[in-house]
Amino acid sequence: MTTAAGAGDDTAGLPPAPEVVQIEVGLLQNFCEILWCPETRAAAVVDPAWEVDRLLREAERLELKIELALITHTHNDHIEGVDELCAKTGAAVVVNPREAARVSAPGRTLTDAVDGRDIAIGRRGVRALETRGHTVGGTCYLADGYVVTGDVLFVGGCGRTDFQGGDTAAMWQSLQRLMRLPEETRVYPGHNYGETATSTIGHETRTNRFLRCATFDEFRALREQKRKA
Ligand SMILES: [Zn+2]
């Protein structure tokens, strides 16, 4: 938990970061990530979807054992490979409790991705950050040096808030929280919508029009006028 350093410092006491491999899958430019521990070869797949065979081949190439599926949110384009991945690897699912019903199934282990909880991947780990706005239980996964942002923050954009469970005010708060991370923190978004596959918090803070809004009203007007992602 992050209580020792108080609110506003989500990085305090983070475990050592897993290695990360980013893989683009499917027809909607979705990104999956494989996070792994070089000491134990334990691995987690973020948002397994569309091309599970490819994800498994990559894990095999790296000689990894996939133990977890980390879910950023439960839109179908992010979870449609969970069943296949879990059936083939025995991986447990980590998902926010507000969205757990959308991925629950008999025989599957579900772990709550509650805010501030550290999730071990071998001897490395990531921290769940509840970042609502795109969905009711949207979760980013923060490591020491990078953050996997799902459909909350994209390179040059942010997630839509007009789907079921969307909340523009919550999205604003979530983005403000991400902006408080160290500026060198690398951003791994849920889709390849930007000019580059990854970015940093500092670059996004300076260039992303959604993060450059000075007030919530300005942000809301911009978010509601642009319908993408
Ligand atoms: Zn989504």
Side-chain angles (χ1 to χ4, degrees):
M1 302 296 285
T2 57
T3 48
D9 190 356
D10 286 319
T11 65
L14 274 172
E19 302 287 325
V20 55
V21 178
Q22 181 189 54
I23 301 170
E24 185 176 339
V25 295
L27 301 174
L28 299 172
Q29 299 163 284
N30 280 81
F31 277 133
C32 300
E33 285 79 25
I34 301 176
L35 313 181
W36 51 282
C37 170
E39 288 90 28
T40 67
R41 316 310 288 184
V45 177
V46 182
D47 290 353
W50 304 118
E51 299 181 65
V52 170
D53 279 356
R54 258 182 78 208
L55 300 172
L56 294 176
R57 277 201 306 277
E58 180 66 9
E60 192 174 3
R61 188 182 72 78
L62 293 166
E63 301 180 349
L64 305 178
K65 178 176 177 353
I66 295 173
E67 297 182 347
L68 297 173
L70 305 184
I71 309 303
T72 64
H73 68 296
T74 54
H75 284 158
N76 191 57
D77 58 315
H78 293 259
I79 61 165
E80 70 85 46
V82 170
D83 285 341
E84 183 183 352
L85 184 95
C86 291
K88 290 181 173 170
T89 64
V93 178
V94 177
V95 62
N96 185 272
R98 288 196 181 89
E99 298 190 28
R102 284 179 51 86
V103 290
S104 63
R108 178 171 307 156
T109 308
L110 287 172
T111 303
D112 288 344
V114 296
D115 192 51
R117 177 168 294 174
D118 288 348
I119 297 148
I121 302 168
R123 291 179 203 149
R124 311 296 179 99
V126 295
R127 179 168 295 161
L129 300 187
E130 193 170 288
T131 41
R132 298 187 306 112
H134 180 64
T135 60
V136 293
T139 303
C140 293
Y141 294 97
L142 175 66
D144 187 3
Y146 65 87
V147 60
V148 180
T149 56
D151 286 3
V152 178
L153 176 62
F154 299 125
V155 176
C158 77
R160 288 172 61 160
T161 58
D162 59 327
F163 295 131
Q164 187 180 13
D167 181 331
T168 304
M171 175 62 92
W172 166 255
Q173 292 298 332
S174 294
L175 293 172
Q176 300 306 303
R177 184 177 184 183
L178 292 177
M179 287 169 70
R180 289 193 291 271
L181 295 172
E183 68 168 356
E184 66 275 16
T185 305
R186 185 144 296 278
V187 173
Y188 288 91
H191 290 269
N192 191 7
Y193 289 156
E195 293 181 346
T196 54
T198 71
S199 183
T200 62
I201 291 294
H203 183 76
E204 292 308 302
T205 299
R206 289 187 292 275
T207 61
N208 185 320
R209 63 164 77 185
F210 292 97
L211 301 192
R212 286 171 56 87
C213 293
T215 64
F216 171 61
D217 285 346
E218 190 184 329
F219 173 76
R220 181 172 53 193
L222 179 65
R223 183 58 279 172
E224 292 178 357
Q225 151 218 324
K226 285 187 68 72
R227 296 300 185 207
K228 194 190 172 200

